[in-house]
């Protein structure tokens, strides 16, 4: 940037990290809740799932015009784009994962006297959590590209803004620097997600 609007590279990297992690976090939690709520009723599932499957193929970047109308230019737009980029796919993954929960696990829980809510929280949820997080990792690249595209709409900072500043100033070096930072940052985030998966979902050893 120029003058008082200038943003340094460290702050731009942190801004992009903040937006993508907040968007991924909200999308992950929301998808788990939505998927489990949908799976609790066959009628809700039959009505809602076609809508979710209809919206899932829409590219995250396609939501940018709507986000700008609703939120304007700011962090909310970038976070919303990341959220929309992962929410529907993760919701579908959650519903499908619930369908794969072995019946014998549920029967054992019932035999031990578990109530319905205990089966959901202590059997179903732990079983599907690693699977849904894996889908989150696979969808991270789409979310990463989406937040960068959102940052190109006029945000002051962020790695996408670096690319736009380079274009506006006809500075090829700045553009190449932004591209390199995007690649390295994306690699770091993916490595961090992989570490989180191994560290916090240790009971899913067979799928690691």
């Amino acid at each position: 940037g120029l003058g008082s609007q200038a943003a340094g590279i460290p702050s731009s990297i942190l801004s992009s990290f903040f937006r993508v992690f907040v968007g991924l976090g909200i999308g992950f939690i929301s998808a788990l809740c939505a998927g489990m709520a949908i799976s609790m009723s066959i009628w809700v599932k039959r009505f809602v799932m076609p809508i979710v499957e209809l919206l899932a193929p829409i590219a995250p970047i396609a939501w940018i015009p709507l986000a700008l109308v609703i939120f304007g230019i700011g962090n909310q737009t970038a976070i919303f784009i990341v959220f929309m980029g992962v929410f529907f796919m993760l919701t579908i993954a959650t519903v499908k994962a619930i369908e794969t929960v072995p019946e014998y696990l549920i029967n054992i829980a019932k035999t031990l006297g578990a109530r319905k809510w205990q089966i959901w929280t202590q059997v179903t949820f732990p079983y599907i959590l690693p699977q849904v997080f894996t889908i989150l990792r696979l969808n991270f690249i789409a979310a990463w590209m989406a937040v960068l595209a959102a940052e190109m709409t006029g945000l002051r900072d962020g790695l996408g803004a670096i690319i736009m500043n380079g274009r506006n100033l006809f500075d090829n070096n700045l553009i190449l620097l932004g591209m390199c930072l995007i690649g390295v940052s994306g690699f770091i985030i993916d490595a961090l997600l992989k570490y989180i998966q191994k560290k916090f979902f240790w009971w899913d050893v067979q799928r690691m």
Side-chain angles (χ1 to χ4, degrees):
L2 300 173
S4 61
Q5 295 298 313
I9 289 177
S11 64
S12 294
I13 294 175
L14 291 176
S15 295
S16 293
F17 277 25
F18 168 77
R19 291 161 187 152
V20 74
F21 276 120
V22 171
L24 288 175
I26 296 175
F28 182 66
I29 295 173
S30 300
L32 284 173
C33 296
M36 294 180 73
I38 291 171
S39 299
M40 288 181 179
S41 171
I42 185 62
W43 296 108
V44 174
K45 186 176 181 180
R46 289 176 178 175
F47 177 76
V48 176
M49 281 303 292
I51 299 175
V52 174
E53 292 171 346
L54 178 67
L55 296 174
I58 300 177
I61 297 176
W63 293 97
I64 291 180
L66 179 62
L68 289 173
V69 171
I70 298 175
F71 301 106
I73 298 175
N75 285 332
Q76 297 91 334
T77 296
I79 293 172
F80 175 79
I81 296 304
V82 176
F83 170 83
M84 298 302 288
V86 300
F87 172 73
F88 298 110
M89 289 302 299
L90 292 182
T91 300
I92 294 174
T94 300
V95 173
K96 298 302 181 183
I98 291 174
E99 294 175 353
T100 65
V101 177
E103 190 68 25
Y104 74 87
L105 292 178
I106 297 177
N107 291 335
I108 291 173
K110 291 180 178 178
T111 302
L112 295 174
R115 298 181 180 180
K116 189 173 182 179
W117 66 270
Q118 290 176 316
I119 294 175
W120 278 102
T121 57
Q122 299 180 29
V123 178
T124 302
F125 184 73
Y127 185 87
I128 68 171
L129 192 58
Q131 298 182 54
V132 179
F133 192 86
T134 299
I135 302 300
L136 175 69
R137 279 187 54 210
L138 296 176
N139 281 271
F140 157 70
I141 298 300
W144 184 234
M145 291 188 293
V147 73
L148 296 173
E151 290 174 346
M152 294 181 184
T153 60
L155 289 176
R156 185 183 68 87
D157 54 10
L159 296 176
I162 291 178
I163 300 292
M164 289 303 297
N165 286 332
R167 190 202 71 168
N168 295 334
L169 298 172
F170 301 99
D171 189 340
N172 292 330
N173 291 330
L174 188 57
I175 294 175
L176 291 174
L177 173 64
M179 293 172 64
C180 291
L181 290 173
I182 288 171
V184 172
S185 299
F187 176 81
I188 292 174
I189 295 177
D190 183 64
L192 181 59
L193 292 175
K194 187 181 297 184
Y195 171 79
I196 292 174
Q197 183 177 21
K198 291 183 178 180
K199 183 71 173 179
F200 295 97
F201 304 134
W202 48 267
W203 65 87
D204 194 50
V205 178
Q206 69 274 16
R207 298 195 187 98
M208 290 297 182

